[in-house]
Amino acid sequence: MEESQTSTIKISEVSYHDLCAFVNYLYTAEVNLVDDQRAEDLLAMGEKYQVKHLKAYCENFLRSKVSASNALKYLTFATKYKAEDLTEASLNVIIENMNKLKLQDEYKELVKKDPHLVIRIYDMVGLSAGEKHFIKGGIDQDLRSDGRKRLTYRPISIETGVIPQANGSARLRMGDTDVIATVKAEIGKPSHLHPNRGKVAIFVDCSAIASPVFEGRGGEELSTELSVALQRCLLGGKSGAGAGIDLLSLNVMEGKICWDLYIEGLVINADGNLLDALGAAIKAALSNTGIPKVNVAAEFSAEEQPEVDISDEDFLRFDTSSVPVVITLTKVGKHYIVDATSEEESHMSSAISVSINSRGQICGLTKRGGAGVDPSVVLDMISVAKHVSEHFIMKLDSEISAAEADEAVS
Amino acid sequence: MGNTKVIAAVYGPRKVQNWGQQINDQALVRCEYRMANFSTGDRVRRPKGDRRTTEISLVIRQTMEACIMTQQMPRTQIDIYVQVLQADGGTRSACINAATLALAAAGIPMRDLVTSCSAGYLNGTPLLDLNYVEDSAGGPDVTLGILPTLDRVTLLQADSKLTMDAFESVMHLATEGCMAVADYIRRLLREHTKQLELRRGV
């Protein structure tokens, strides 16, 4: 071998400065990434010589440098050197700027040179450009891909009393979206700020059954977003005023005992419009809820908690006529639609969720999604939501009473 | 099973999500067990990934792994998700039975349909499929999972002490329970397949 005779190895593919930095890193574990080029070269060497720390360090450095102008370049680079984090970072940037990037020559070149990468980009987007165009075009012409108009809901079916262990429960299906809402009542102590009011808490959980994405902690972000949005829409302000549920009716003995309501939502199948479905399911579950009558023992001293006797036979029913429904309007292009499927949601620009009660009053409002909306459009959307809500509440009420009747029969 | 209600979903066989976990000569089986907050009588907010949850996930995974023909699907991943809607004793068994049904419905090749059933021993009598109240009485609880046609035990868990004689009778009862569940599951699957047939117009 030539190397054993001359005792030198020629490394031709790297520059002198890069090699110096590399050797320096091997001895001192310190590296000065003067520019992007240096980081790229060192990452390549890190991969070649399996110096994992260095590779990870450079990757981290480069991740912050990814922008719309260089994302395609970095995607090719990162896949070549198997830098997963950098690949993901550049893919994310590419997807955000897909429309602009498509027009660039660099993109066309990539299509020719490396179609596999382009497929990977489209895997991330989920829908092809053609499909997107189709959905958008349909919405423009007021005929969506499942034959609905812009402001029609999917058929709803409700089943009440599905969880006998809870005080009230309902399962609601809206197209392929499937959710369960339960209400549990527990005896608690009112907060000293509002001694005559009960407490209500709403939690939402996204089951991994709906989608593998929700596995482990995956669904947590969405769960929190949904629970907070529902709390805003149904519970009213901090003082409890304006809440859809009359908190005064949860009072048992002022300052001593009240009912704590725990409302829990579980997403079994997600096909868009989860917020509306959960809102409606909670309304159905609340009307299914029976709160046991409570008898308080007559004598007790001021400091002690009085004894209570919970009756098994008598139940108090809630008045749910004032519980609002949530209507989400999703903006796609120039128009907005109600009850978007997950396909349609995947390219929404923004959405506004309005909660409206049967008297047409607005009880809460949330805007979701990234893009900004013109203020006049917001007002317009709210008035449309109000109009839609009248039909929706009517339909929902009749479904709820039908479900209750079904339950009573069985 | 009675007041215990569970849902199972199977995703796969599909591409392995995490490259490091890929097994080159067989499929990777993963399982996640989750209890809904409202599933128990008293409301408890359980953090995800507590020890009981992890343990049951592991038990289900191992039991299912034993019956799936993993060698036939190398370099793939099969996810089993089990969600408990209502817990009234015997959640383990219910979850395993649900997972078996889901796997069969997903058309994943299996050696046999695993079935599971629990049994206990209270006041000198063996009892089949304890509910929550019976379980909390403190008697022993034996959970058994078997492959009914191959006649193999894939899962056996018991807590609290039992005499050998009593254990034998409890075990016998649990096996009978498993067989009954197996018959039921088989019948259900046949019906399901018939319906699929009808729908396709074969």
Side-chain angles (χ1 to χ4, degrees):
Chain A
M1 293 279 275
E2 193 195 330
E3 284 95 8
S4 58
Q5 283 156 14
T6 57
S7 64
T8 47
I9 299 174
K10 270 193 189 153
I11 299 175
S12 53
E13 70 268 33
V14 285
S15 74
Y16 170 74
H17 291 288
D18 288 343
L19 191 64
C20 275
F22 182 68
V23 172
N24 196 33
Y25 175 82
L26 291 182
Y27 281 105
T28 62
E30 273 172 20
V31 66
N32 183 18
L33 298 175
V34 279
D35 54 16
D36 299 0
Q37 189 58 43
R38 172 67 55 81
E40 284 169 32
D41 292 340
L42 284 180
L43 195 155
M45 283 173 81
E47 168 67 19
K48 188 175 172 196
Y49 298 107
Q50 290 294 304
V51 187
K52 283 192 185 134
H53 293 114
L54 179 64
K55 190 181 156 194
Y57 183 76
C58 295
E59 210 176 326
N60 221 349
F61 176 81
L62 286 175
R63 240 172 44 182
S64 58
K65 304 276 177 188
V66 180
S67 67
S69 55
N70 61 14
L72 283 173
K73 186 189 100 186
Y74 273 130
L75 179 66
T76 336
F77 174 78
T79 29
K80 187 173 167 195
Y81 294 107
K82 298 195 184 76
E84 287 296 325
D85 286 353
L86 186 58
T87 315
E88 209 180 300
S90 37
L91 270 175
N92 282 337
V93 175
I94 290 174
I95 285 155
E96 272 167 34
N97 302 289
M98 198 62 194
N99 292 340
K100 261 189 277 165
L101 285 177
K102 251 193 208 153
L103 306 173
Q104 284 181 10
D105 292 338
E106 216 177 330
Y107 180 80
K108 286 169 194 154
E109 218 166 89
L110 185 73
V111 175
K112 261 187 235 149
K113 238 173 44 192
D114 210 341
H116 281 291
L117 267 186
V118 181
I119 289 175
R120 186 142 181 215
I121 296 175
Y122 272 111
D123 270 351
M124 290 279 290
V125 178
L127 290 176
S128 74
E131 274 176 294
K132 276 189 161 188
H133 188 75
F134 179 73
I135 290 175
K136 233 178 181 170
I139 289 168
D140 282 341
Q141 291 176 14
D142 205 7
L143 183 68
R144 288 151 73 177
S145 44
D146 47 5
R148 283 184 291 155
K149 293 189 166 214
R150 280 198 288 267
L151 297 179
T152 354
Y153 268 84
R154 287 173 283 184
I156 299 173
S157 73
I158 297 178
E159 223 179 299
T160 50
V162 282
I163 309 284
Q165 277 164 342
N167 294 72
S169 60
R171 177 180 186 179
L172 181 132
R173 265 169 282 195
M174 191 187 262
D176 279 340
T177 296
D178 196 340
V179 295
I180 292 184
T182 62
V183 180
K184 262 194 184 177
E186 275 170 26
I187 292 274
K189 219 180 154 187
S191 77
H192 59 276
L193 287 174
H194 308 290
N196 58 351
R197 292 206 166 102
K199 288 177 287 192
V200 181
I202 301 180
F203 302 99
V204 178
D205 193 17
C206 294
S207 170
I209 289 183
S211 153
V213 188
F214 298 147
E215 193 194 336
R217 299 196 167 273
E220 226 153 72
E221 200 175 310
L222 182 67
S223 305
T224 321
E225 189 191 347
L226 288 173
S227 352
V228 173
L230 281 171
Q231 271 176 11
R232 195 172 299 134
C233 288
L234 299 176
L235 295 189
K238 278 219 176 67
S239 63
I245 304 156
D246 185 14
L247 296 180
L248 292 173
S249 68
L250 296 173
N251 183 34
V252 177
M253 172 164 280
E254 190 167 323
K256 294 283 182 193
I257 313 163
C258 70
W259 283 107
D260 289 350
L261 280 196
Y262 293 98
I263 301 178
E264 229 127 3
L266 178 72
V267 177
I268 300 180
N269 204 3
D271 187 23
N273 206 20
L274 289 174
L275 200 60
D276 294 19
L278 283 166
I282 288 174
K283 189 173 161 119
L286 277 173
S287 63
N288 179 243
T289 303
I291 297 221
K293 276 227 176 85
V294 174
N295 297 316
V296 183
E299 306 142 24
F300 59 91
S301 61
E303 298 94 57
E304 274 174 60
Q305 273 291 338
E307 273 182 33
V308 287
D309 175 35
I310 300 171
S311 133
D312 284 335
E313 285 122 34
D314 297 332
F315 289 101
L316 273 175
R317 288 276 165 188
F318 264 122
D319 176 27
T320 51
S321 58
S322 61
V323 175
V325 292
V326 186
I327 306 280
T328 303
L329 285 175
T330 311
K331 197 160 182 295
V332 177
K334 267 182 278 170
H335 302 278
Y336 24 85
I337 51 174
V338 295
D339 193 17
T341 60
S342 57
E343 259 176 15
E344 289 163 338
E345 266 178 6
S346 71
H347 58 281
M348 72 172 193
S349 53
S350 56
I352 287 188
S353 300
V354 194
S355 80
I356 298 172
N357 66 14
S358 52
R359 266 167 290 163
Q361 291 161 323
I362 295 169
C363 307
L365 206 119
T366 324
K367 181 190 163 295
R368 296 185 297 154
V373 190
D374 203 64
S376 63
V377 176
V378 174
L379 291 178
D380 194 28
M381 282 167 101
I382 293 172
S383 69
V384 171
K386 197 174 149 186
H387 179 69
V388 172
S389 74
E390 287 165 16
H391 289 279
F392 187 61
I393 290 176
M394 252 168 37
K395 209 162 108 190
L396 192 62
D397 281 345
S398 69
E399 278 291 333
I400 291 174
S401 45
E404 300 259 277
D406 269 0
E407 197 197 342
V409 168
S410 61
Chain B
M1 287 174 117
N3 260 337
T4 301
K5 271 193 199 167
V6 302
I7 306 184
V10 168
Y11 287 87
R14 54 183 186 143
K15 205 172 97 183
V16 180
Q17 241 58 32
N18 190 346
W19 277 73
Q21 294 181 332
Q22 177 169 305
I23 314 171
N24 278 328
D25 56 352
Q26 54 177 312
L28 171 73
V29 181
R30 296 172 69 220
C31 178
E32 190 180 279
Y33 165 94
R34 224 189 257 190
M35 270 176 105
N37 289 324
F38 50 76
S39 61
T40 45
D42 301 317
R43 219 193 79 92
V44 269
R45 195 138 175 86
R46 234 180 249 283
K48 270 165 211 164
D50 68 344
R51 288 173 67 171
R52 198 181 113 86
T53 310
T54 324
E55 192 254 343
I56 299 187
S57 302
L58 187 74
V59 167
I60 300 172
R61 201 193 83 204
Q62 286 171 344
T63 316
M64 297 332 283
E65 230 172 13
C67 77
I68 298 172
M69 303 178 101
T70 46
Q71 276 85 2
Q72 284 198 1
M73 299 160 281
R75 281 177 237 110
T76 57
Q77 164 178 345
I78 299 168
D79 288 295
I80 306 168
Y81 299 116
V82 197
Q83 170 87 50
V84 179
L85 295 181
Q86 266 192 86
D88 186 25
T91 43
R92 260 161 240 248
S93 315
C95 285
I96 289 172
N97 294 332
T100 309
L101 270 171
L103 281 169
I108 287 172
M110 290 194 284
R111 290 190 185 86
D112 196 359
L113 296 167
V114 201
T115 54
S116 172
C117 196
S118 64
Y121 194 74
L122 270 183
N123 290 341
T125 34
L127 293 173
L128 190 66
D129 193 19
L130 302 178
N131 67 18
Y132 181 73
V133 182
E134 291 160 349
D135 197 13
S136 9
D141 178 15
V142 178
T143 306
L144 178 74
I146 59 168
L147 298 169
T149 33
L150 297 176
D151 203 16
R152 288 279 155 82
V153 174
T154 53
L155 165 75
L156 181 60
Q157 287 182 323
D159 50 15
S160 167
K161 62 182 174 204
L162 253 175
T163 59
M164 266 318 278
D165 294 344
F167 179 73
E168 244 181 68
S169 64
V170 168
M171 181 84 176
H172 185 69
L173 188 68
T175 319
E176 266 176 31
C178 287
M179 290 301 183
V181 173
D183 281 348
Y184 182 65
I185 282 185
R186 215 164 266 280
R187 213 172 54 232
L188 271 185
L189 278 173
R190 287 235 171 86
E191 269 166 36
H192 177 73
T193 323
K194 274 219 181 90
Q195 280 198 346
L196 282 182
E197 229 174 48
L198 269 177
R199 246 181 260 163
R200 283 182 140 198
V202 182

